[in-house]
Amino acid sequence: MNVKDIHIGEYFYDLPDERIARHPLMERDSCKLLVADSGGVTRDTVFKELPGLLPSDTMLVYNNTRVINARVILHKPTGAAIEIFCLEPVAPADYERNFASTESVTWRCLVGNSKRWKDGELRRELSVNGKTVTLTAIRVEREDASSLVEFRWDDNALTFAQVIEAAGVIPIPPYLNRETESTDAEDYQTVFSRMDGSVAAPTAGLHFTDAVLEAIDARSIKRREVTLHVGAGTFRPVQGDVVGEHTMHSEFIQVDRALIDELALAPDVFAVGTTSVRTLESLYHAGCLISTGDWRGEVPQWYPYSDNHPDLTVEAALTHLSKWLENNEMKQFVASTRIIIAPGYRYRIVKGMVTNFHQPGSTLLLLVSALIGDTWREVYNYALAHGYRFLSYGDACLFTV
């Protein structure tokens, strides 16, 4: 079957509300870990046992993105509150430069109570490092589903990173059905988060602790980082009845050239979370696009299934990518990806992954099914029958091809 003809209704399951974890466990690495492959469930264990379950020659790759305080409340002169949800930087478009800016920035945003903000400025006084700062927002352009919003502040000794940290709150997933709490500021960040930019956490990474990382190092398993800034589109349900009617959102990725060279020869690459999977697999397809002279800065949604795909080996594709970076005197690959991974997709780099239990009918569940096949339903039924906790703050899985 063509991937575009897959009926999303085949990827729904009954998830009782009480099985959605509203908060993480006090000890992150004490959560359950279900181990499975395409043959079905093979083991129940706990997450702290993960290091011993990984093959000795594994390269473990995780996403080092950090969730920003993307939900910002400002006020009209009348006092009416307007919520602005920051999605992605526009000017400067580069994340690092944007967060380092000291005068003004522009972001693509979702605006709550949008009809109440037709024009004019929104303002809010903040306390940043003991100083009072006035943050101003101006809507410079309306788009179909979002707006371009310019933020200004009256202290050029402060960066936008400092300003939004003080002005906003962590945007926890909508399916938690609760307000953000003070504990989310730490709970909803991974221990290896360091690159500001996401509006949602790469939640498979939430289970890792310093102790687990040390145990991985003790087995001489390579740990490597990539960056994918998770967008709000990750929570958007599949549009339409079939996969071909769904439009994937674009997400920013950044990977060191040195890691790309390593990946070209790595035998067993395990990804932590679907975001790392999407990043790693996008590298392969970017290399293929470069090899044919068709690279335009983004991996298109349907490219992996295209008849024009050159179907290179992993080594060949990543060598093309690395040489392109070298020729352009770039130490990092920075791009966007819209790749959709669904049944019918052939994994190129990833041989296994650590992930959570995902929402019914989501693109993330399609990605899992592409790895372990129809076994996903047996795995999920098993988890529901054995007390596993679901979604962002829930338990984990270790899947292998």
Side-chain angles (χ1 to χ4, degrees), residues 59-62 269-273 276-277 280 350 352-355:
M59 177 187 288
L60 188 69
V61 180
Y62 48 77
V269 178
F270 277 55
V272 176
S276 297
V277 169
L280 291 167
V350 174
M353 71 169 146
V354 178
T355 190

Side-chain angles (χ1 to χ4, degrees), residues 75-350:
H75 300 91
K76 295 177 62 178
T78 60
I82 304 293
E83 179 177 309
I84 298 176
F85 194 127
C86 298
L87 297 178
E88 61 180 356
V90 173
D94 177 82
Y95 279 85
E96 287 191 41
R97 288 178 55 217
N98 193 289
F99 285 117
S101 297
T102 56
E103 293 183 357
S104 68
V105 296
T106 300
W107 278 65
R108 180 167 287 105
C109 303
L110 298 178
V111 179
N113 296 328
S114 182
K115 293 180 180 179
R116 300 175 65 183
W117 185 25
K118 295 180 180 179
D119 52 36
E121 298 181 347
L122 304 179
R123 292 177 177 271
R124 181 175 164 191
E125 285 195 349
L126 309 170
S127 177
V128 184
N129 298 333
K131 296 189 294 184
T132 299
V133 180
T134 300
L135 174 64
T136 302
I138 303 168
R139 181 149 53 181
V140 295
E141 185 179 334
R142 293 173 186 251
E143 300 181 338
D144 290 340
S146 59
S147 297
L148 299 187
V149 177
E150 180 183 7
F151 295 99
R152 302 174 182 170
W153 54 101
D154 59 358
D155 188 338
N156 59 14
L158 298 174
T159 65
F160 183 60
Q162 293 172 297
V163 171
I164 196 171
E165 185 76 16
V169 295
I170 288 282
I172 60 173
Y175 49 66
L176 294 184
N177 290 320
R178 64 171 175 81
E179 290 297 315
T180 300
E181 300 172 7
S182 59
T183 53
D184 291 311
E186 181 176 348
D187 290 343
Y188 204 54
Q189 302 283 10
T190 66
V191 294
F192 34 72
S193 65
R194 62 185 185 88
M195 301 294 287
D196 285 342
S198 279
V199 301
T203 53
L206 295 179
H207 309 293
F208 284 82
T209 61
D210 290 335
V212 169
L213 295 179
E214 289 170 4
I216 290 170
D217 291 342
R219 293 199 59 221
S220 298
I221 291 171
K222 295 179 181 178
R223 290 194 285 121
R224 298 292 185 266
E225 300 180 358
V226 296
T227 302
L228 181 145
H229 291 320
V230 189
T234 191
F235 300 122
R236 187 173 63 183
V238 174
Q239 301 163 325
D241 295 327
V242 295
V243 173
E245 296 175 354
H246 183 72
T247 300
M248 286 293 289
H249 54 291
S250 179
E251 291 177 311
F252 169 97
I253 61 174
Q254 179 175 299
V255 181
D256 289 343
R257 192 172 85 202
L259 175 55
I260 292 170
D261 292 336
E262 279 192 279
L263 289 168
L265 302 174
D268 288 314
V269 178
F270 277 55
V272 176
T274 58
T275 62
S276 297
V277 169
R278 283 165 49 76
T279 304
L280 291 167
E281 293 295 306
S282 293
L283 294 177
Y284 168 80
H285 296 291
C288 289
L289 285 162
I290 287 169
S291 76
T292 57
D294 296 318
W295 177 243
R296 301 293 181 269
E298 181 175 84
V299 179
Q301 176 171 343
W302 301 111
Y303 179 68
Y305 314 94
S306 169
D307 291 337
N308 297 323
H309 197 291
D311 196 27
L312 302 178
T313 66
V314 170
E315 183 177 357
L318 295 187
T319 297
H320 277 289
L321 177 53
S322 181
K323 286 184 177 178
W324 180 83
L325 290 169
E326 183 179 3
N327 291 339
N328 286 278
E329 299 182 345
M330 300 166 63
K331 293 183 178 180
Q332 292 180 319
F333 178 62
V334 177
S336 298
T337 183
R338 290 185 184 271
I339 189 173
I340 185 167
I341 297 177
Y345 179 85
R346 179 156 63 100
Y347 277 89
R348 308 291 186 147
I349 294 177
V350 174

Side-chain angles (χ1 to χ4, degrees), residues 38 341 345 347 350-353 366-373 399-401:
S38 57
I341 297 177
Y345 179 85
Y347 277 89
V350 174
K351 299 298 190 297
M353 71 169 146
L366 292 174
L367 182 151
V368 168
S369 180
L371 184 74
I372 64 170
F399 292 139
T400 58
V401 176

